């Protein structure tokens, strides 16, 4: 696995590591080649900008998460969320898993949340997700006691008619 955001080394118990790896493979399988290419391009661009001493110009964001303390911009591609500091969105809360979930912003501007085998689950609008779940503006994500609201710069979000089934426990 070349993406350090999806490393499973932090999991010591073999069953948890295998569960996480299955979730990771499903996540990457749902990304799509065009979305992964855009994500890789953005990562390379950010690394190149860090090497120069000039200011980093952030891309225009279409989607973000809002919690009680701050706003977290989402980029096209993979956005990891968890308590480890190398996540795209680090949530310093002991009840949140180290690699709790990920949001994929597709090149088609559809956004999905994936639980990455977190211990306490990922919830959308109060319902535990068991498969990739498309997000709409205003949806509430809950990671243990942390609540984040998914927002978009467009008033109309994508419809949930994309062939992905949302399974609620």
């Amino acid at each position: 696995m070349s993406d350090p955001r999806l490393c499973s080394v932090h999991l010591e118990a073999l069953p948890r590591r295998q569960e996480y790896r299955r979730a990771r493979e499903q996540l990457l399988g749902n990304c799509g080649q065009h979305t992964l290419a855009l994500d890789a391009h953005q990562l390379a661009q950010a690394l190149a900008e860090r090497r120069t001493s000039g200011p980093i110009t952030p891309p225009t964001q279409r989607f973000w998460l809002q919690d009680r303390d701050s706003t977290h911009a989402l980029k096209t591609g993979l956005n990891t969320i968890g308590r480890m500091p190398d996540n795209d969105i680090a949530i310093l809360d002991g009840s949140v898993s180290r690699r709790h979930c990920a949001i994929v912003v597709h090149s088609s501007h559809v956004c999905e949340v994936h639980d990455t085998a977190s211990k306490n689950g990922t919830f959308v609008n109060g319902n535990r997700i068991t498969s990739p779940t498309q997000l709409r503006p205003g949806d509430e994500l809950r990671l243990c006691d942390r609540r984040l609201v998914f927002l978009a710069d467009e008033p109309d979000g994508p419809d949930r008619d994309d062939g992905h089934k949302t399974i609620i426990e």
Side-chain angles (χ1 to χ4, degrees), residues 42-114:
Q42 287 177 349
L43 183 60
Q45 211 172 17
L47 290 173
E49 287 178 358
R50 283 184 189 160
R51 286 187 211 121
T52 66
S53 59
I56 297 174
T57 52
T60 304
Q61 300 300 329
R62 298 185 73 153
F63 305 103
W64 62 95
L65 293 175
Q66 178 74 48
D67 67 9
R68 65 179 181 252
D69 301 324
S70 58
T71 300
H72 309 280
L74 300 172
K75 65 184 178 359
T76 301
L78 184 64
N79 298 271
T80 59
I81 304 171
R83 78 170 185 265
M84 289 183 74
D86 63 341
N87 282 295
D88 296 302
I89 300 172
I91 298 178
L92 305 175
D93 181 328
S95 63
V96 172
S97 293
R98 289 177 265 199
R99 305 274 187 217
H100 199 98
C101 65
I103 294 177
V104 177
V105 178
H106 292 279
S107 58
S108 62
H109 306 297
V110 171
C111 300
E112 324 177 294
V113 61
H114 296 249

Side-chain angles (χ1 to χ4, degrees), residues 117-165:
S118 66
K119 223 172 194 175
N120 296 315
T122 301
F123 295 78
V124 175
N125 298 325
N127 299 305
R128 185 178 188 140
I129 64 169
T130 59
S131 65
T133 302
Q134 190 171 333
L135 294 171
R136 292 188 209 170
D139 281 350
E140 181 185 83
L141 272 71
R142 186 169 52 83
L143 289 63
C144 302
D145 293 330
R146 297 300 295 254
R147 297 186 190 293
L148 301 123
V149 178
F150 175 75
L151 300 168
D153 67 357
E154 298 174 358
D156 296 325
D159 293 329
R160 290 187 193 246
D161 193 19
D162 67 345
H164 286 98
K165 198 164 73 172

